[in-house]
Structure formats: C-alpha cells, structure tokens
Amino acid sequence: MSQSQYITTLERQINSLNQRIDQKIMSGQKYLDEARKHRMLLRKIQSQRVEQRKSIISRMFPLFA
C-alpha cells in the first residue's frame, strides 16, 4: 500500500468515526473512546504527511537531506 493510499484509508476511517461521534452527541451518549481513536488517526495522518514532505525534499535536494 502506498503512502497516499494509506492516508486515504485513514481519512475514510476518520470520516466514519466522525459520523459515529456525531450520532453519539445527538443521542447524549459518551464518546471518549471514539475521540481517542480520532486523535490517534489524526496523528498518523500528520506524521505520514510530514514523511511525504521530507521524502520530496530529499529527492529534490539530496545534499540537504
């Protein structure tokens, strides 16, 4: 799986998790576990995007990497 496919998969998981969180908010239920998963997924996406930028920069400027 490429990095872009991995990020797309994570974004889909976040979207479905957001829908679950919204449903729980509307029904007055607690959503602590979902919020933790949401933060974890956001961190994964952020770290993957940072790695993408680093790899692009290192390919463009191999002396600086």
Side-chain angles (χ1 to χ4, degrees), residues 36-49:
R36 284 185 186 138
K37 289 178 187 176
H38 186 270
R39 281 193 301 272
M40 180 195 63
L41 291 172
L42 285 176
R43 283 187 205 124
K44 284 184 179 182
I45 287 176
Q46 185 179 15
S47 68
Q48 288 296 315
R49 287 188 175 154

Side-chain angles (χ1 to χ4, degrees), residues 49-61:
R49 287 188 175 154
V50 167
E51 286 180 28
Q52 274 184 337
R53 282 189 220 127
K54 285 181 181 179
S55 67
I56 289 171
I57 291 173
S58 66
R59 279 187 263 144
M60 292 175 64
F61 305 105

Side-chain angles (χ1 to χ4, degrees), residues 6-21:
Y6 181 63
I7 290 174
T8 304
T9 303
L10 291 175
E11 288 173 342
R12 284 187 194 138
Q13 289 177 355
I14 286 178
N15 288 335
S16 67
L17 199 55
N18 280 339
Q19 289 177 353
R20 248 187 288 153
I21 289 171

Side-chain angles (χ1 to χ4, degrees), residues 23-38:
Q23 288 174 352
K24 285 193 171 194
I25 289 172
M26 297 285 249
S27 64
Q29 297 176 355
K30 294 184 180 183
Y31 55 96
L32 185 63
D33 293 334
E34 287 83 1
R36 284 185 186 138
K37 289 178 187 176
H38 186 270

